[in-house]
Every structure is written in C-alpha cells, then in structure tokens.
Amino acid sequence: MRCEIVRPMLHDLLDKTLSPEEAREVGDHLAACESCRSEFQELKRVDDLLREAVCEMINAIEVPPDLGGRIEKILAERKNKTLVGWLAAFLKPPAVAALLLTVVAAAGIFSFHNYFRPAANQSKVVLEDPQTSSKQLQNENAPGGLSLLTLDGELHDELSAPAEPEQLEQSGERDEVRAVQDRVSAGGGSGAAADLKERQASSVKLQVPPAAPQPTQEKSFPAPAAGGFFAAAAPSLKKGTIEEAAGEVGFVPARPAYLPRGAELQEVTWLSGTICQSYRAGQFSFTISQSRRDVAVPFYDEAARQGTPVQINGLRAILQETRPETVGGTPRVFTTVRWQRGEWIFSVCGDLPGEEIIKIASSL
Amino acid sequence: MQGELDLSEDNLVQMALTGDHDAFAQLVQKYTPDVFRTASMVLRDRDEVEDVVQEAFLICYRKLKSFRMESSFKTWLYRIVVNLCYDRLRKLRRESAAFTKLSLNFNVGNGDMSEIDNRIDLKEIISSLSPEHRLVLTLYYGMDFGVKKVAQTLGIPVGTVKSRLSAARSLLKERLERGQEYAL
C-alpha cells in the first residue's frame, strides 16, 4: 500500500471504520513506513487531546440533581391526569381561555370557514358584547345563527343540538362537546374564578378546529381567533376604556411604546384580574394582556413549559406559535409571547410576524 | 459487563413498553445526566437545556408505543434530544441574528500573538465550532458513540460524521503545529 492511499485511511483507522482486512494492510504499512507512522501518531495524539477536552467540558457541566426526579413526577402526574386536566395545564390566561371557549364552540358547530371571516369583519364579530352582537352574528354566520355567546342556557342549547357530521371530524370531539355542555350546565352563569377554571379546562378540548388537523404534539396548541382575544362569553367580561378598566381591576395597564405602522387601539376589555388591549394594524391584529401573577399562576407555569424561551428586556419569556391556519383565505400564524415582570404577567398575541410581537412586547 | 448492562436496559425498555411506569422512571434516572450534558454542549442556556430534556422524556414516554427497537433506546432518545436542540437553535437564530459563532474556522488573528499564554485553548476551539460539529464531537468522544451510532442519532450519513471528525482533528493538528512555531 502506498503512502498516498494510506494517509486518508489513517482517520478511518482511528474511527475504527476500516474492515479487518483494510486495518491489517494499513497496520502493515505503518510498521514499515516511518513517515506515515509519525503522521498517525500525531493524529492519535490530537484524537486523544480532543477526547480529553470534550470529556472535561462535559464533566464540568453540572446536572441539576433533582432533574430526573422532577421529570418522573411530571410523567406520573401526566399519567394520572385526565385528558381534560392535562390540557387545562397548558392553558392560556383566563381572558383568552374564556374567549376560546366561545370561539371554538362556534367553530365546532358551524363550519370553520364560515366563522373565520377576513380579519376586518372578524374583530367586530368577536369583540362585541353578547347581548348586542347575537343578532349581528346571526346575520353574518351560516344558517342557523349563532347564539351561543353566553355560557348560560344558550350554549347548552346550541351544543345539545346534534352537530353536523362534517363539522365534528371525530366522535371524540362530539364527546368533548357533550362534556362541555355538562360542565356548563353544572356551572351556571356565574363568573366565579372556580367556574371559569372549569370552563377553561373543558374549553381546551373543543379547541381542535374541525377543519384543522388534530395536533399531535404537546407543543402545538389551538389557533386563537384572529382579530382579538376577547371573551364575549364570560358574563363578567367587560369592555370600555382603559380608565374604566384601571378603575375596576385596580391597576393601570402598561401601554406599548412601539406600535406597528397604522396600529390603532380597538378595544379594551377586562375580566377579574386581567386587562386586555386589542389593536388592529392593517390586516393584522394583536392583543396585549396584563394580569397579576396570582390570577394567572396555575396556567402560566405549565404553559411556560411549552414554547421557546426568548428575552424581553432581559426577562425570560416564552414564545409560542401556532401552525399556519387559513383564516379568511390566507394562512396565518399566531404568535404569543408571555413573560413575567415582577408581580405582572404579560402576554402579547397576534398574527403579526414574531419580530413585531417581540418589539411590541419589549416596548411595554 | 457490557452485555449485562444491555440486557438490563433491554428489560427496562420492554417493561416500559408494556406500561411499567417504574421501568420508564428508571430509564429517566439513568439517562438524564448524560442527556442533559449533551444538550448543554449545544444550547447555552441552562433553563432551555432543562426544558429540552424534560420535553424529550415526555415525547419518549408518549411515543414509547411506536418505538420499534430498530435502534437502541439510547439512540432513539438521543435522536429526540438532538432534534429538540436543533428546533430551539432554529428559533433562537430567527430571533437573534448574531446568535452563535457558526464558523468552523477558528481564526487566530494577530491579537493572539500578544497573549503570554501560547497554549491553545482547545475547549475554546470546540466551543467556537458550530453546534452540529460540537454535537458530533460530544457524542463520539464524550458519550462513546461509534461513528455509525453518531450518524444514526444525528440523522446524517456516516461520511458526514467522519468528515466532521477528521476536520476537527486536522484543525487541531494545524493549530498545534502553528502553536509550536510560536513557542519560545
């Protein structure tokens, strides 16, 4: 074997990827050829140095001693939780979840495409007070009308009507719908936090839109309605001006110093300890939510596990994106950034590009 | 010895497959440290690494039924971890343009000549490699994966693994030779 052939094989020799015969031939050559031998020895030295350095780097990494135990715990909890409870753990802040219940219940009953209109109309539909908007919705939506925007008996009635087969792709969803209706009728119309939690827990099950593929990963989560995240459903949700919100909830929400071009505040709504500001910028829309930590904590901590860590002004935040959903004919991706600053939990959510969402978030 | 370990791991995996939660818990305890360390060689942020490790085991747990034993459990788990790391890297890159040094070429520059200590900081060189290169080194040298197993875990051809290894060795060899030139 000639040196030119052996030289490239020296790496293979180190990697142990030579066949026994090749290894023997190379070995024979090395025994006879001093220059190749010293080349190999140099390579081996380098290989050993690399191994040593990599191992030192790896061993220097401190593993949190309780990590394995924590993971075990989570798995054990996961095993015990029902599907509903598990989904509840990944829920968004209360205002969003309450809205999603209505939005998705609607989506479950009517075809997805009917409900999600182009953004311009959509925000109007979503944001208005249930009492005044039900008629409007009836006009705007598919035959049958949509009168489910309160959680009282109306929702119950809508859900108990047999849903059209094509709108509930899986029988599992139908069962989920029944589960919600049971919970709702049990919970009544009160806006108590406990009830809201119940509804939120059950609402997540409905969040699989019939026309969209079933999310298979824990990471994916339901597409929120474009145009705003205001629960027109929960009886205790209110809307008005920032001053009114501040007066009722007890704090003045942060305003963004940066707004995308053409962005305008559309509406302010609030619910228990959360204030939401809804903006529209051209064809895009986004919502800024702010709540006190104690209000949001059960949902925030778990939800925080599902997403990408980002930094908002040096604070650790979580960014989540939905898969592209076709809304009003165009695919939209909804991005949410959620973080904590002191006693406050903030979130910015919208169908703007992620960078814009982060800019807005950073400017609060 | 090795045979014994493999057997007990196979047993654990089989038991876990039949729903034995404790068996899976033992697998978690066994692999958490090295998986954490491997992910730490790719991602900088400790919290992110924890998230990735946790998520990897959750995915593993969920998808255990579809694990077909084509590769070993270890390779499968590491594959999940690696993919999660890459996902994070992609997202981080999107958010911050100047994220990490991706070049394999570690340029010395004139500044180094003024350093009193001419020893080559090998760890710095390794740190400056791209995450993909670092992963190859970590798995091959650190976790004792053979070339084939590295290829399987990273989902790349064996040839690519080998070329990354030989590139790292050649780079280091060249630096050592240059370092000797500077030594007094």
Side-chain angles (χ1 to χ4, degrees):
Chain A
M1 251 191 175
R2 295 205 314 275
C3 295
E4 310 90 75
I5 300 180
V6 168
R7 286 291 165 97
M9 293 172 83
L10 294 180
H11 285 277
D12 303 322
L13 186 61
L14 272 179
D15 293 341
K16 300 187 173 63
T17 52
L18 290 176
S19 71
E21 195 181 301
E22 286 171 329
R24 193 178 43 80
E25 284 187 31
V26 170
D28 287 346
H29 178 93
L30 289 180
C33 173
E34 190 177 326
S35 118
C36 286
R37 190 165 60 240
S38 81
E39 174 78 13
F40 180 70
Q41 276 163 357
E42 187 57 28
L43 212 50
K44 181 105 187 27
R45 180 169 92 95
V46 162
D47 195 64
D48 290 341
L49 280 173
L50 267 175
R51 177 167 281 115
E52 196 183 310
V54 169
C55 286
E56 270 181 36
M57 286 172 84
I58 286 174
N59 290 332
I61 295 167
E62 273 182 49
V63 181
D66 60 337
L67 182 55
R70 272 188 277 139
I71 294 175
E72 269 183 70
K73 243 201 212 169
I74 290 174
L75 290 175
E77 281 169 17
R78 220 181 149 277
K79 196 174 74 129
N80 293 333
K81 274 185 183 173
T82 62
L83 177 61
V84 169
W86 172 77
L87 286 169
F90 297 105
L91 211 40
K92 298 179 167 202
V96 176
L99 166 76
L100 288 172
L101 171 64
T102 60
V103 164
V104 175
I109 290 167
F110 298 97
S111 96
F112 191 80
H113 297 291
N114 276 341
Y115 187 78
F116 283 92
R117 296 295 181 79
N121 293 330
Q122 195 166 351
S123 63
K124 274 195 245 166
V125 169
V126 169
L127 297 181
E128 284 174 13
D129 185 82
Q131 265 60 49
T132 57
S133 68
S134 57
K135 282 220 171 86
Q136 182 178 355
L137 286 168
Q138 277 178 350
N139 295 336
E140 287 192 19
N141 285 295
L146 176 61
S147 57
L148 52 56
L149 291 186
T150 66
L151 289 177
D152 299 349
E154 290 189 28
L155 177 60
H156 185 106
D157 292 338
E158 285 298 333
L159 291 179
S160 59
E164 297 171 28
E166 63 267 19
Q167 283 148 3
L168 284 178
E169 280 181 345
Q170 302 160 15
S171 61
E173 280 191 274
R174 210 183 279 251
D175 295 336
E176 291 163 3
V177 168
R178 297 255 160 73
V180 173
Q181 120 196 1
D182 290 340
R183 282 172 186 270
V184 164
S185 46
S190 86
D195 265 333
L196 194 55
K197 272 192 201 178
E198 275 255 311
R199 281 178 218 136
Q200 286 160 359
S202 50
S203 78
V204 184
K205 281 180 103 177
L206 287 180
Q207 284 172 4
V208 180
Q214 187 87 14
T216 52
Q217 290 186 349
E218 283 177 83
K219 251 195 205 172
S220 66
F221 60 98
F229 297 92
F230 301 113
S236 58
L237 182 81
K238 301 196 180 127
K239 71 175 171 109
T241 64
I242 284 208
E243 293 74 20
E244 286 168 1
E248 287 213 21
V249 181
F251 64 89
V252 180
R255 309 291 299 276
Y258 165 80
L259 282 174
R261 203 161 1 141
E264 281 179 351
L265 179 64
Q266 298 289 306
E267 196 122 46
V268 177
T269 55
W270 62 96
L271 166 76
S272 6
T274 305
I275 297 181
C276 299
Q277 307 167 53
S278 164
Y279 291 80
R280 167 164 308 290
Q283 51 159 331
F284 297 107
S285 53
F286 60 93
T287 301
I288 300 169
S289 304
Q290 179 174 350
S291 46
R292 280 208 178 80
R293 184 172 167 86
D294 51 78
V295 166
V297 74
F299 310 103
Y300 177 71
D301 287 340
E302 284 303 324
R305 286 304 195 188
Q306 309 300 313
T308 316
V310 300
Q311 295 263 331
I312 302 289
N313 298 327
L315 294 166
R316 186 169 166 249
I318 299 289
L319 181 138
Q320 290 170 313
E321 283 180 345
T322 62
R323 291 206 208 112
E325 306 276 0
T326 302
V327 174
T330 49
R332 286 170 192 265
V333 172
F334 296 91
T335 305
T336 307
V337 177
R338 197 176 289 115
W339 72 103
Q340 183 190 342
R341 190 168 81 206
E343 60 168 327
W344 305 107
I345 306 269
F346 292 93
S347 80
V348 179
C349 178
D351 54 1
L352 294 164
E355 303 79 37
E356 287 288 298
I357 297 282
I358 289 176
K359 262 170 131 178
I360 296 166
S362 304
S363 77
L364 280 169
Chain B
M1 207 43 108
Q2 187 66 26
E4 278 180 40
L5 282 173
D6 286 349
L7 195 59
S8 87
E9 166 159 325
D10 279 347
N11 281 346
L12 275 180
V13 174
Q14 286 298 341
M15 285 162 70
L17 276 172
T18 63
D20 186 337
H21 187 80
D22 285 335
F24 192 81
Q26 282 190 57
L27 289 170
V28 168
Q29 290 292 2
K30 180 179 176 187
Y31 285 112
T32 292
D34 276 351
V35 155
F36 184 91
R37 292 188 177 103
T38 303
S40 297
M41 291 291 280
V42 181
L43 301 170
R44 308 299 193 184
D45 186 78
R46 215 169 150 76
D47 286 339
E48 270 191 62
V49 172
E50 272 199 40
D51 281 352
V52 161
V53 172
Q54 193 172 291
E55 210 179 318
F57 280 112
L58 282 173
I59 291 174
C60 215
Y61 184 67
R62 258 201 359 251
K63 296 201 168 169
L64 205 51
K65 290 195 176 67
S66 63
F67 172 54
R68 271 179 256 292
M69 309 280 271
E70 284 152 352
S71 54
S72 73
F73 176 82
K74 183 175 173 182
T75 308
W76 183 58
L77 171 64
Y78 270 83
R79 186 138 197 201
I80 294 172
V81 171
V82 163
N83 285 332
L84 288 173
C85 286
Y86 283 162
D87 284 348
R88 296 281 168 131
L89 282 179
R90 265 194 295 271
K91 289 205 168 136
L92 286 164
R93 277 173 195 160
R94 263 212 322 259
E95 274 138 29
S96 154
F99 172 58
T100 149
K101 293 182 267 227
L102 295 178
S103 165
L104 174 59
N105 298 319
F106 187 70
N107 290 320
V108 177
N110 289 329
D112 284 339
M113 301 216 22
S114 62
E115 278 193 76
I116 297 167
D117 185 4
N118 282 327
R119 261 186 314 136
I120 294 153
D121 194 340
L122 186 43
K123 294 178 192 172
E124 238 183 72
I125 295 179
I126 294 171
S127 297
S128 73
L129 297 175
S130 75
E132 291 82 1
H133 282 82
R134 278 203 305 275
L135 250 187
V136 168
L137 298 184
T138 302
L139 293 177
Y140 181 81
Y141 289 113
M143 300 295 156
D144 262 332
F145 280 39
V147 166
K148 205 167 158 199
K149 199 159 168 178
V150 174
Q152 250 187 326
T153 306
L154 299 183
I156 54 179
V158 164
T160 308
V161 175
K162 287 163 72 64
S163 76
R164 284 184 186 168
L165 283 173
S166 69
R169 289 172 189 143
S170 302
L171 173 70
L172 179 56
K173 190 157 163 293
E174 186 216 2
R175 294 284 285 112
L176 282 173
E177 281 163 6
R178 244 198 288 167
Q180 277 165 8
E181 283 174 31
Y182 301 148
L184 293 166

